Amino acid sequence: MLLCIDIGNTSISFGTFEVSPNGQPKLIFSSEISSCERRSTDEYAVLFKEIFSLKSSVQGAIDPIDAVAISSVVPTLTDRIASAAQLFSGCSSRPYIIGPGIRTGFKIAIDDPATLGADIVSDCAAALDLFEPPITIFDAGTVNTVTVIDKERTVLGSIFTPGVRISAESLSQNAELIESVAIGTDATPLIGKNTEEALKSGIINGNSAMLDGIIRNLREMLIDKNSDEKLALVSTGEYAEIILRNCRNKFAYDPALTLRGIASLYVRNRL
């Protein structure tokens, strides 16, 4: 059994996969915990163990972990989480870290390919396993990322915008009359009747309209209007569903997309 971990700025997602050299990794279960710089290696190991114990009591026995693979955009946590995963799982070998120099199966056409985030590399690997390119991947987390893959399986680059939580916090911190507001999963009206509704509309509906505009422009750039070619749209991330609810474009949503990519890259490089 392979344990895959995605270390983000606000949360740490993880899941287990059945893997084989000749087939796509099969997700068994996934979960997440909050990122915290103050937690020690032992504390993270205990959290992993408790969640696995809970999942086992609900789903039945989970096979022992044979290997661990990690994607991280928080370098200060990478070694700590790697040590915690190794301690919890009992694996003799150190976790496999997604990073520069690995075999991906696709080209990366940015100024310095080594700087492409491990989470984006993992998203691309999973998307290319599941969909025919060209592909646009929308990941709505601490930072919203839109990543573009052309029909030749080349990552052309990304578009970054502030995420939902960052946008809400920035407004409340810099506008004296705007208080902090929680962004939930409830429907967001286009026209707010009070400050809270107006703030939510600007953040959620604003992101939706911006994403639709980006997709329109990408279609014009990537797709010959005289062809039958389609631009595959894939999404993941904590806030993706509430943003996509108000989009005109229809995305395939997979909350475990990054974890699937980590597993795919592990298979490509280690099996």
Side-chain angles (χ1 to χ4, degrees):
M1 190 73 69
L2 172 66
L3 170 63
C4 293
I5 304 174
D6 176 37
I7 305 172
N9 290 291
T10 57
S11 64
I12 299 169
S13 302
F14 58 96
T16 57
F17 290 81
E18 289 181 358
V19 296
S20 67
N22 302 316
Q24 283 193 7
K26 178 183 177 183
L27 178 65
I28 303 304
F29 90 89
S30 62
S31 187
E32 70 175 20
I33 56 178
S34 60
S35 299
C36 181
E37 287 283 355
R38 295 188 299 274
R39 286 192 185 121
S40 67
T41 295
D42 289 346
E43 287 175 311
Y44 275 115
V46 168
L47 281 173
F48 286 138
K49 182 176 181 179
E50 289 181 346
I51 291 173
F52 269 72
S53 177
L54 176 63
K55 292 291 184 179
S56 295
S57 67
V58 174
Q59 297 182 199
I62 297 174
D63 291 342
I65 295 167
D66 305 308
V68 180
I70 295 175
S71 160
S72 176
V73 295
V74 190
T76 55
L77 282 179
T78 304
D79 286 343
R80 203 179 315 168
I81 298 299
S83 296
Q86 191 172 13
L87 176 63
F88 149 71
S89 65
C91 291
S92 57
S93 59
R94 286 287 290 175
Y96 178 71
I97 309 296
I98 306 299
I102 66 170
R103 296 190 301 273
T104 62
F106 51 86
K107 297 177 182 178
I108 301 174
I110 66 173
D111 291 343
D112 183 359
T115 63
L116 188 64
D119 56 340
I120 294 177
V121 173
S122 301
D123 284 348
C124 291
L128 284 165
D129 282 345
L130 299 170
F131 301 92
E132 287 295 321
I135 304 170
T136 294
I137 306 165
F138 174 57
D139 191 337
T142 304
V143 176
N144 291 338
T145 66
V146 178
T147 302
V148 184
I149 306 172
D150 70 11
K151 62 183 178 181
E152 305 299 330
R153 298 175 63 91
T154 298
V155 179
L156 300 180
S158 300
I159 300 163
F160 293 171
T161 67
V164 166
R165 184 180 58 82
I166 287 178
S167 297
E169 290 177 355
S170 178
L171 281 170
S172 66
Q173 290 169 6
N174 292 284
E176 188 172 341
L177 296 180
I178 294 180
E179 297 181 357
S180 178
V181 61
I183 305 295
T185 59
D186 52 315
T188 306
L190 180 59
I191 302 174
K193 298 297 186 181
N194 52 60
T195 300
E196 181 175 346
E197 286 184 354
L199 178 61
K200 287 182 178 180
S201 179
I203 294 172
I204 300 302
N205 293 312
N207 270 287
S208 301
M210 178 174 59
L211 184 57
D212 276 334
I214 289 172
I215 297 303
R216 180 196 63 224
N217 293 343
L218 289 174
R219 279 201 180 98
E220 292 176 357
M221 182 178 76
L222 296 171
I223 306 296
D224 183 346
K225 62 181 180 181
N226 296 317
S227 75
D228 295 327
E229 193 174 50
K230 302 293 184 182
L231 178 62
L233 303 178
V234 190
S235 66
T236 192
E238 180 181 1
Y239 295 103
E241 286 187 296
I242 59 174
I243 293 172
L244 297 176
R245 180 189 299 154
N246 299 306
C247 282
R248 299 190 179 200
N249 290 280
K250 301 303 178 185
F251 284 70
Y253 174 67
D254 185 351
L257 187 73
T258 310
L259 296 176
R260 293 186 198 279
I262 297 170
S264 177
L265 291 168
Y266 176 85
V267 170
R268 178 179 291 272
N269 286 270
R270 285 297 180 91
L271 297 186

